[in-house]
Amino acid sequence: MYEGAIQDLIDELGRLPGVGPKSAQRIAFHILAADPADVTRLASVLNRVKDQVRFCTICFNVAESEQCRICRDPRRSGEYLCVVEEPKDVVAIERTGEFRGRYHVLGGAINPLEGIGPDHLRVRELMSRLGSGEVKELILATDPNTEGEATATYIALLVKPMGIAVTRLASGLPVGGDLEYADEITLGRAFEGRRAV
Ligand SMILES: [Zn+2]
């Protein structure tokens, strides 16, 4: 529709999740009209995110060094381990202020239709962390949808024979939804009211 770089930008933006053709066009023209310093900052952060951000070697949360901020924090309890699908879920739970334990980020959920099985997730790494014997309660905070439930059930079956308490977040979370979209109060209550599985 347009010529050259502006159309390339619209095409690239349009490939991002949740950005339709109209939004892509609006963002592209916003960038075109923006202050050059703002655009330079955006471009540099786009480059930095691929260069500098890596995954924590313990929990697989995003990190800027070998270990993430949460794994490095000695005040966090190693007795409670919360299993989530993605780093954004760590952020959502941290916002509630209800949890002072540690996390394990699976990197997705079991989804047979898309060919994602337990081997594609960091389940093996989870099992080896649990092998240390420090964890007393494993909290399954995968999304309250079909894939999240299947993943929670799968992990619960693996872990329960190890004598570790396994809990799941309480109901009240929007069924079929994404953990990250739950408001802090709902998610905080779901955390407090977690139940054994
Ligand atoms: Zn970590």
Side-chain angles (χ1 to χ4, degrees):
M1 278 186 287
Y2 299 96
E3 281 181 46
I6 189 77
Q7 187 60 47
D8 292 345
L9 180 57
I10 293 169
D11 293 343
E12 289 305 322
L13 291 168
R15 291 167 57 192
L16 300 175
V19 181
K22 278 195 178 144
S23 303
Q25 187 171 309
R26 200 168 62 238
I27 298 167
F29 280 97
H30 173 84
I31 291 171
L32 185 62
D35 192 88
D38 292 343
V39 179
T40 305
R41 210 170 45 244
L42 174 63
S44 110
V45 83
L46 286 175
N47 285 316
R48 272 199 355 251
V49 79
K50 288 307 282 183
D51 286 348
Q52 295 174 5
V53 179
R54 25 192 189 151
F55 293 98
C56 173
T57 53
I58 298 175
C59 75
F60 304 97
N61 190 9
V62 286
E64 289 232 332
S65 55
E66 189 83 345
Q67 292 172 14
C68 74
R69 221 175 334 144
I70 295 169
C71 287
R72 289 200 314 263
D73 186 347
R75 293 164 302 175
R76 311 275 312 207
S77 166
E79 294 189 350
Y80 298 90
L81 188 64
C82 181
V83 175
V84 296
E85 293 180 20
E86 306 287 351
K88 59 187 163 55
D89 302 323
V90 172
V91 175
I93 292 169
E94 285 297 289
R95 271 203 312 258
T96 70
E98 287 288 336
F99 187 59
R100 297 300 301 157
R102 297 180 187 275
Y103 292 93
H104 189 86
V105 181
L106 291 170
I110 295 172
N111 188 341
L113 292 177
E114 290 186 15
I116 301 169
D119 290 346
H120 298 90
L121 308 173
R122 290 166 194 129
V123 174
R124 210 174 309 120
E125 291 85 346
L126 171 66
M127 298 312 285
S128 88
R129 283 183 81 181
L130 295 175
S132 77
E134 194 189 3
V135 177
K136 301 280 179 278
E137 181 182 345
L138 188 75
I139 301 148
L140 298 169
T142 49
D143 285 342
N145 56 27
T146 314
E147 293 79 25
E149 292 299 340
T151 309
T153 305
Y154 177 82
I155 293 173
L157 286 172
L158 282 182
V159 173
K160 276 203 276 187
M162 301 172 79
I164 296 168
V166 181
T167 57
R168 179 97 175 102
L169 296 194
S171 53
L173 292 173
V175 174
D178 249 331
L179 208 65
E180 58 165 324
Y181 298 133
D183 67 89
E184 283 128 78
I185 296 168
T186 306
L187 187 53
R189 282 201 189 129
F191 224 97
E192 275 181 279
R194 61 189 187 268
R195 56 188 161 71
V197 291

